[in-house]
């Protein structure tokens, strides 16, 4: 694997930018301002933890960045390209090739084995079988589950599931990984293992890591911390 | 994207999938069984119809239209020879014979009965009725004033072999003629109508009675029923080219009974097909709607991972495709098993309008399986389209929020 540590700390154009990002929801006759004019930037190799009380807009923020939702105002730029300008199909391509997602509830596909879950994004990319097998093998080894590839998700513990989900998020070697409360469903020890793994991946694979968490134990892994309150980013928006 | 993920998705809920497969299979099997039964009946009726009429008949349009009172449609021996020569080299023809039919009145004691005399060449291979004779003997070329009578008519008139009846008829010149006829044999046929209506005698004697040397039709047998239409068209062209104003009729043109029955079978099968279609469509629609709905979050997840709407739609349709194929193939096998079992029972019955019992049986074959198979597959796929489109168009964030 190439040595990326120098590349990781490269300065210059931000990898990811949010400009005056707002999202409102219409609930009946009232308008919910889930996110208000958030400005944010992250450089290559950044590891950012996002804190904030429940309902403050953290998930909304991640959804807009991963472009599974569209902003009401403002824009998200990934490597300088505004996601507002991309079609549905191009957004799917962006997520498939450049973004890894980790969910609070793991969201593994129950009918696929652990290895197949990790392989799924490579199937989407239509990678050749030999390459897929090789990458799955090394990825599972990296998350420490080399032996459990044949198990179905319901035959794995929570921590094991989340590690498979991490393997799935990283197998395409994305440049950006978004995790929404990845340790919320894990005990503190397993949570620490998962965060160790995330830090290792951040350092070795040079991914931009955005992790939403309530957990102070998780926060200490980050290089940087931002706070969202009532839809506003109140601290640490710039690198 | 892959063929196996949809298959696994389908099999995840065993009970529900089993239920869906059972419904599709049952619909397919019933439809297959009924279709096989109708086709078998149709084939049997085809065979008896061809026994009665031959494959093709050639006659003057006047005979077919039934417009003339006199006998101006008769075919002279010279014309008959000309037609036979035209047909001589056609290799699908297995036999040609001629007939002369006319109405008459039979009197026996104080009973009378209107009949139709079919006079034909005795001992010919083409429309040979010898096998139908159940008492007395078949007609012979040397027979004079002899007749074969149907079993039902003989019973009705209380007649038997060697009894004599009187036949009254009109000659081609319009004169009355009457002659005694000896019953040399009694024949049976599947159709009671035929047994009551038709008497058979040698054509040479009939020509003497009618005072003519002509016949009214040529009857052609072919090597197979399936060759009927193409051969009819070719022969018609030959006749037209030779400026002979004769018209070819096929066995199914000639038998209004077959036409009606065949149409009735088509309607019956059409209704059944529609019922199976509706049953499968609505039940599978319910099942798939629920199955896809339960998977909302999973669909949201794969969309978030970069699966396009089109790919999701493709996978869901593929899943229902698997269901359709598994269900329908199971149904076809089940239907075949049902048919085999039924055929093994050898149930006897007497079809309406017939005097013979026959063994009930069901046709089995890939061609029989195709329509029921196709209907089930199409019904299943159609039922999947709407829920699949709906599911593939879910907003990703909403789908992910579903618990
Ligand atoms: N689809 C929606 N329709 C209406 N309101 C919504 C929708 N999604 C989010 N909201 C509202 O937007 C606000 C921000 O929600 P969001 O899920 O981003 O909060 P959060 O910071 O992730 O909270 P938590 O820590 O509980 O996960 C909340 O008030 C929420 O009720
Ligand atoms: Mg949240």
């Amino acid at each position: 694997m190439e040595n990326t540590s120098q590349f990781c700390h490269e300065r210059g154009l931000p990898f990811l930018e949010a400009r005056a990002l707002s999202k409102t929801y219409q609930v009946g006759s009232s308008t919910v301002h889930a996110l208000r004019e958030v400005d944010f930037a992250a450089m290559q190799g950044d590891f950012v933890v996002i804190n904030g009380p429940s309902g403050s807009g953290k998930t909304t923020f991640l959804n807009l960045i991963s472009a599974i939702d569209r902003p009401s105002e403002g824009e998200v730029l990934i490597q300088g390209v505004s996601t507002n300008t991309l079609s549905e199909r191009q957004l799917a391509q962006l997520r498939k090739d450049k973004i890894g997602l980790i969910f609070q509830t793991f969201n593994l596909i129950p009918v696929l084995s652990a290895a197949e879950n990790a392989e799924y994004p490579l199937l989407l990319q239509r990678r050749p079988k030999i390459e897929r097998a090789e990458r799955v093998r090394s990825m599972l080894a990296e998350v420490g589950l080399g032996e459990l590839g044949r198990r179905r998700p319901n035959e794995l513990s929570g921590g094991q599931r989340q590690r498979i989900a991490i393997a799935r998020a990283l197998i395409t070697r994305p440049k950006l990984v978004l995790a929404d409360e990845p340790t919320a469903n894990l005990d503190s020890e397993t949570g620490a293992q998962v965060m160790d793994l995330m830090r290792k991946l951040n350092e070795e694979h040079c991914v931009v890591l955005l992790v939403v968490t309530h957990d102070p134990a998780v926060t200490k892994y980050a290089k940087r911390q931002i706070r969202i309150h009532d839809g506003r980013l109140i601290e640490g928006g710039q690198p | 994207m892959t063929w196996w993920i949809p298959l696994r998705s389908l099999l995840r809920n065993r009970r529900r999938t089993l239920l869906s497969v059972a419904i599709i299979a049952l619909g397919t099997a019933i439809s297959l069984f009924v279709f096989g039964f109708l086709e078998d009946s149709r084939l049997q009726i085809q065979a008896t119809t061809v026994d009665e009429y031959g494959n093709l008949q050639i006659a003057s349009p006047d005979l077919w239209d039934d417009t003339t009172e006199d006998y101006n449609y008769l075919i002279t021996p010279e014309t008959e020879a000309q037609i036979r020569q035209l047909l001589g080299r056609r290799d699908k023809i297995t036999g040609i014979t001629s007939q002369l039919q006319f109405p008459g009145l039979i009197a026996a004691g104080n009973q009378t009965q209107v009949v139709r005399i079919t006079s034909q060449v005795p001992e010919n291979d083409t429309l040979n009725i010898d096998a139908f004779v159940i008492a007395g003997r078949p007609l012979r070329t040397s027979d004079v004033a002899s007749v074969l009578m149907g079993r039902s008519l003989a019973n009705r008139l209380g007649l038997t072999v060697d009894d004599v009846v009187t036949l009254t008829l009109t000659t081609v010149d319009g004169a009355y003629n009457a002659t005694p006829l000896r019953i040399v044999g009694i024949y049976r046929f599947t159709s009671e109508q035929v047994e009551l209506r038709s008497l058979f005698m040698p054509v040479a004697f009939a020509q003497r009675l009618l005072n003519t040397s002509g016949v009214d039709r040529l009857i052609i047998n072919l090597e197979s029923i399936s060759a009927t239409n193409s051969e009819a068209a070719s022969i018609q062209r030959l006749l037209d080219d030779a400026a002979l104003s004769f018209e070819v009729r096929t066995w199914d043109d000639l038998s209004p009974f077959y036409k009606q029955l065949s149409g009735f079978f088509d309607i019956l099968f059409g209704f059944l097909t529609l019922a199976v279609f509706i049953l499968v469509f609505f039940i599978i629609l319910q099942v798939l709607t629920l199955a896809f709905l339960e998977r909302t979050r999973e669909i949201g997840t794969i969309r978030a991972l970069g699966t396009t709407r089109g790919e999701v739609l493709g996978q869901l349709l593929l899943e229902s495709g698997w269901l359709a194929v598994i269900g329908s193939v199971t149904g076809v096998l089940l239907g075949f098993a049902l048919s085999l079992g039924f055929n093994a029972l050898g149930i006897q019955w007497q079809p309406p309008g017939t005097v013979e019992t026959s063994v009930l049986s069901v046709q089995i074959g890939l061609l029989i399986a195709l329509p029921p198979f196709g209907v089930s597959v199409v019904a299943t796929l159609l039922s999947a389209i709407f829920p699949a489109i709906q599911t593939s168009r879910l907003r990703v964030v909403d789908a992910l929020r579903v618990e």
Side-chain angles (χ1 to χ4, degrees), chain A residues 25 27 32 34 53-60 181 214, chain B residues 398 401:
Chain A
Y25 292 105
V27 180
V32 179
S54 181
S56 58
K58 306 180 294 295
T59 299
T60 304
E181 316 217 22
H214 284 113
Chain B
D398 295 338
R401 282 159 61 93

Side-chain angles (χ1 to χ4, degrees), chain B residues 83-102:
Chain B
I83 296 174
R84 280 180 180 267
Q85 201 188 347
L86 279 179
L87 302 177
R89 284 188 305 276
R90 303 196 62 83
D91 54 6
K92 285 197 175 128
I93 295 180
T94 55
I96 305 172
T97 189
S98 51
Q99 274 189 355
L100 172 58
Q101 297 185 13
F102 57 94

